[in-house]
Amino acid sequence: MGLPAVLRRRWSSRYILCSAAGLYIVICFLFDMPLLSSKLPNYTGKYDVGTIDIEAPCARRNVSDLVFTNTGKPAFELETVLFSLYYPAVDKVRSQKSHLWVPKPLSLTAEGYARFAKINNFLTNSVFTVALWTLVGSTKIPAQVDVPLHGTVKTYQDYQKEHPSDDDDGLPRFPVIVFSHGMASSRTSYTQYCGELASRGFIVAAIEHRDGSGPGSVIMSTDGSTTNRFLARPSELQPEPAMEDYKATGLAFRQAEIEETVRVLREINEGSGKAVYTANSRKEGVDLAEWRGRLMMDRMVLAGHSYGATGALRALKGAPSAERPFVGGIILDPGKSSGPLNDDINVPTMIIHSSSWSKKLTIFHGQPHFAVVKAVAEKILNERHKFAWFMTAKGTTHPSVTDAPLIEPMLLSWTTGATINVREGVLQYVKATQDFMRFLADGQRQGVLKEEVTHPEYDHDIRDDARRAAMNKEIEKYWQIHVAPSTACPYPGLCGIVPD
Ligand SMILES: *[C@@H]1O[C@H](CO)[C@@H](O)[C@H](O)[C@H]1NC(C)=O
């Protein structure tokens, strides 16, 4: 009753392995899936999502005198600012084009990572390029490129038919979030967070910083010439800066890029979208003229992750101001080694730590990092009398808010120990952000922001049984709240006063 000889031979383990691999490749091909990684999931909010890359020329200036040792060229010369816009798009319009998760040229990013690993040579760069291409070379961002903004004039009549009560006094306007990435990241490192927010009615501008902290970025001038900007270590600069000064310079450069992004957004809102499109070296934004008056410039928030969170805290100093009209801050895992944290802040601020960031005791400027971050939130709340929160997203690790765990879920949970479902991880950050934006809109506290302090220190639960039983199970599952305005008396000594 054995298998016929021809079949028996074919069922060797090697044959099975090869067939399985072949089948897998065919499935990936059929379903348009990247070979060794997961596809980025579609966004879950009520709007379709559009995306536009904008690279706008800036008033050219040197933020510092430092030059690259090998070329003598300035290392912190601001020439253009690059950001990706994610926005609520008109319903059901599909674009021909899509944006790749690793922008072209892929070899640039590969070389950038090799430089981070300090093994940058022709051979490793080639190996990294092939690896990156195999892993994520075909991963696309599931947003429609350069489609019209939701409710633009062109589609306004259709829009009114569908949403008769949505906007009584003109076209819908959307709050704005400017997002600053962390080290070794780029404008496409947080697309899920940004895209989910866009699908919930926010316009997000994800900056790509050229301060030498990213793996690699192409600076594209309006005349078409390009310069590759890689990671620049202090030792590669002249005169070699001390680490503190190097980071301070990087953050000053990032702040200049944040201000330039705000300037471009303001120009778009004031009706100069056509000029922004014409000057855009990335050649996107054909409909930007229609964006006039559609950005809520008075409800603009600055958000950042890691080094970007440290930079956001810095840029919130003096806000809201003309250059930095931010009315709130969203601070995700402020850097542990990216310089001192600014606590001179006069706007509502929400600080979220990943579990791994809260759990690990790190000494930061002579104090535990957790205590330093908590003191920032307490100062904003108790001294500046602006609403401030400090919370830990349970089960998350430092990269949980980035796209990395979605694309390589297995790899990331092995290497970083995240226990939260990867999509749930990003969504918790999205929901908290949405709650914070809602609070800025009308003072309503909802979701996690409705709760009182649960854990003044990490893992130190102060709730009694009654409170624990009464608490929303979803909030309890995902959050520890370290600093929050008391609902009864937000500012000790100033009971009953609600912030303006
Ligand atoms: C920036 O500095 C370099 C010299 O390091 C100089 O050649 C360049 O003109 C400066 N750029 C501006 C806009 O001043």
Side-chain angles (χ1 to χ4, degrees), residues 213-236:
S213 66
S217 182
V218 182
I219 299 171
M220 227 180 249
S221 307
T222 16
D223 65 11
S225 64
T226 60
T227 317
N228 295 340
R229 175 69 73 245
F230 289 108
L231 168 76
R233 293 192 171 80
S235 59
E236 293 160 51

Side-chain angles (χ1 to χ4, degrees), residues 292-307:
R292 180 187 189 133
R294 308 292 305 283
L295 291 87
M296 288 181 154
M297 297 300 290
D298 56 353
R299 202 153 343 119
M300 186 185 274
V301 163
L302 181 59
H305 179 239
S306 199
Y307 191 44

Side-chain angles (χ1 to χ4, degrees), residues 60-62 67 74 77:
R60 204 167 169 145
R61 60 196 184 268
N62 287 308
V67 295
E77 186 179 42

Side-chain angles (χ1 to χ4, degrees), residues 343-364:
D343 64 357
D344 184 3
I345 291 169
N346 264 309
V347 291
T349 303
M350 175 175 76
I351 307 176
I352 300 177
H353 257 189
S354 61
S355 278
S356 57
W357 225 238
S358 281
K359 200 186 301 175
K360 195 159 174 258
L361 184 69
T362 326
I363 301 302
F364 182 76

